[in-house]
């Protein structure tokens, strides 16, 4: 089953402790769709300017991504510039030029309106709802992302959107801010009263907590010796997660756990290089291999059992 994702397509300028890049292909919908493309068919709803080059178009098309919903408008593409601190956990946005993204009013083509899986990327919550309202039937699963800006400036509208979705993917700080509660578990429980049935809380290098009903699932991040650029980690995580769920067509507990692991694996590949190029040049066996390594890494025996598994090698 395919996914439709709405969100930003951008040029990113990024500085990390190991280097910098100017105007590489970026944007939340870009990272999301590349990660999801390993699992299922994906269509992007986005806007770019006249300066968006053919090389980026063909890169996305080669991944099998349907870009027929990527509108090209007169003007410049959205630009984002950021710098990471020494431990890569803190990020400062240095510049945001919305350009054609400022008047983004997503209009779904009829071929996209019946998609079974929908991911509402980090855009104005009014626009997120307008996308959902254009669907001819309620998708099987609606995922959503947001950010501090919308939590602060459009809280009422965001709460309205949250009442209509199934799965929310946000980080720990956003969860605290949204719930107005500093304890993460209590904050998560409060968010689950706002509409979403599933909350997937990203915690950077500390991994992910997933809350669903009364259940909780916790996994670490995949330990990486070299992190080149964390940009897009959250979006490629969401792409892997939604991609796997769409591919298996169910979201029971077992599928959700696997989906969170696949999301973590996709994010770990993404942070190995600037831009989405490492993420975009993988084979599915490489993804499966890292999934298995990750399982071995987090495996431990039940209390009564004798350990049979050797420790994985570094
Ligand atoms: P992440 O590192 O997962 O938070 O995602 C970073 C990506 O989000 C970058 O590729 C940016 O182009 C994009 N981005 C940054 N700021 C915004 C914004 N205000 N709205 C939409 N996308 C953004």
């Amino acid at each position: 089953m395919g996914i439709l994702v709405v969100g930003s397509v951008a040029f990113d300028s990024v500085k990390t402790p190991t280097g910098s890049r100017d105007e590489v292909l970026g944007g939340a919908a870009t990272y999301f769709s590349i990660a999801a493309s390993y699992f299922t068919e994906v269509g992007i709803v986005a806007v770019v300017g006249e300066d968006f080059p053919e090389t980026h178009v063909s890169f996305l098309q080669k991944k099998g991504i349907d870009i027929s919903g990527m509108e090209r408008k007169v003007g410049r593409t959205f630009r984002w510039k950021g710098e990471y601190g020494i431990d890569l956990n803190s990020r400062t946005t240095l510049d945001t030029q919305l350009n054609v993204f400022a008047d983004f009013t997503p209009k779904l083509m009829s071929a996209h309106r019946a998609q079974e899986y929908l991911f509402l990327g980090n855009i104005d919550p009014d626009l997120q709802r307008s996308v959902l309202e254009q669907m001819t039937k309620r998708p099987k699963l609606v995922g959503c992302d947001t950010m501090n800006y919308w939590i602060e400036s459009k809280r009422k509208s965001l709460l309205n959107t949250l009442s209509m979705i199934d799965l929310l993917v946000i980080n720990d700080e956003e969860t605290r801010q949204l719930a107005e509660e500093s304890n993460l578990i209590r904050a998560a429980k409060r968010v689950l009263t706002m509409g979403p049935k599933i909350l997937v809380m990203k915690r950077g290098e500390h991994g992910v907590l997933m809350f669903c009903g009364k259940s909780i699932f916790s996994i670490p991040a995949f330990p990486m010796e070299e992190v080149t650029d964390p940009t897009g980690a959250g979006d490629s995580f969401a792409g892997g997660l939604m991609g796997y769920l769409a591919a298996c067509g169910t979201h029971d507990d077992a599928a959700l756990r696997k989906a969170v692991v696949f999301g973590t694996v996709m994010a770990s590949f993404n942070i190995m290089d600037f831009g989405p190029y490492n993420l975009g040049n993988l084979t599915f066996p490489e993804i499966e291999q890292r999934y298995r390594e990750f399982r071995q890494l987090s495996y431990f025996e039940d209390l009564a059992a004798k350990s049979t598994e050797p420790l994985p090698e570094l």
Side-chain angles (χ1 to χ4, degrees):
M1 281 174 228
I3 305 182
L4 192 67
V5 55
V6 52
S8 60
V9 172
F11 289 130
D12 288 347
S13 296
V14 181
K15 191 164 178 228
T16 74
T18 53
S20 61
R21 291 289 184 283
D22 277 334
E23 305 220 328
V24 288
L25 173 61
T30 305
Y31 284 105
F32 180 100
S33 58
I34 295 170
S37 71
Y38 290 96
F39 301 91
T40 190
E41 285 171 13
V42 203
I44 294 188
V45 178
V47 61
V48 295
E50 297 153 298
D51 53 358
F52 196 73
E54 259 327 291
T55 47
H56 291 349
V57 170
S58 62
F59 177 68
L60 295 171
Q61 281 174 327
K62 274 195 196 124
K63 296 308 303 171
I65 297 166
D66 168 12
I67 57 159
S68 59
M70 196 168 81
E71 210 183 327
R72 195 182 278 269
K73 278 231 167 127
V74 176
R76 277 158 63 82
T77 301
F78 173 51
R79 276 160 172 80
W80 174 79
K81 187 173 185 177
E83 182 171 356
Y84 290 85
I86 192 78
D87 65 357
L88 294 166
N89 286 326
S90 59
R91 175 167 84 187
T92 311
T93 291
L94 301 174
D95 191 25
T96 302
Q97 295 173 21
L98 292 173
N99 299 328
V100 293
F101 195 47
D103 312 309
F104 181 41
T105 36
K107 266 188 217 75
L108 304 197
M109 297 163 48
S110 56
H112 291 155
R113 288 173 189 240
Q115 200 55 281
E116 298 247 38
Y117 287 75
L118 175 66
F119 192 75
L120 305 168
N122 168 28
I123 56 172
D124 186 325
D126 288 343
L127 296 182
Q128 290 178 321
R129 277 196 315 285
S130 88
V131 170
L132 191 48
E133 280 156 8
Q134 290 175 58
M135 301 299 282
T136 45
K137 64 175 189 344
R138 172 65 164 75
K140 194 166 175 179
L141 190 76
V142 181
C144 178
D145 182 13
T146 191
M147 68 188 290
N148 53 0
Y149 177 77
W150 303 118
I151 299 173
E152 279 158 28
S153 65
K154 283 203 130 172
R155 186 175 178 86
K156 211 169 153 211
S157 167
L158 179 62
L159 290 177
N160 207 347
T161 297
L162 293 183
S163 73
M164 302 164 91
I165 62 140
D166 303 302
L167 185 154
L168 181 63
V169 189
I170 50 176
N171 68 29
D172 39 9
E173 272 323 298
E174 289 156 354
T175 307
R176 286 191 170 104
Q177 201 182 356
L178 179 60
E180 297 172 322
E181 162 63 57
S182 61
N183 177 278
L184 278 185
I185 309 298
R186 281 203 296 267
K189 284 184 174 170
R190 194 164 296 167
V191 170
L192 288 182
T193 66
M194 296 173 178
K197 289 169 256 337
I198 307 156
L199 168 65
V200 181
M201 191 198 297
K202 301 170 288 179
R203 305 180 63 221
E205 65 175 350
H206 303 297
V208 175
L209 287 173
M210 177 176 64
F211 302 84
C212 178
K214 291 198 182 320
S215 316
I216 174 167
F217 177 57
S218 168
I219 60 163
F222 191 84
M224 300 286 290
E225 197 164 343
E226 271 171 48
V227 179
T228 304
D229 175 14
T231 307
D235 307 311
S236 44
F237 170 84
L241 172 107
M242 286 287 291
Y244 177 75
L245 291 177
C248 67
T250 157
H251 45 277
D252 57 19
D253 282 2
L256 283 170
R257 283 172 187 248
K258 277 189 176 178
V260 169
V261 176
F262 272 120
T264 302
V265 165
M266 299 317 288
S268 76
F269 280 116
N270 180 60
I271 63 179
M272 292 169 71
D273 201 1
F274 289 96
Y277 298 106
N278 193 62
L279 181 70
N281 285 303
L282 300 170
T283 61
F284 201 67
E286 285 177 286
I287 296 168
E288 287 177 317
Q289 190 191 333
R290 191 165 285 183
Y291 181 101
R292 292 196 180 98
E293 286 168 17
F294 194 49
R295 182 173 141 74
Q296 214 196 356
L297 192 81
S298 309
Y299 175 82
F300 53 91
E301 297 282 0
D302 190 13
L303 274 180
K306 286 213 176 83
S307 188
T308 50
E309 284 279 318
L311 285 177
E313 284 177 20
L314 261 181

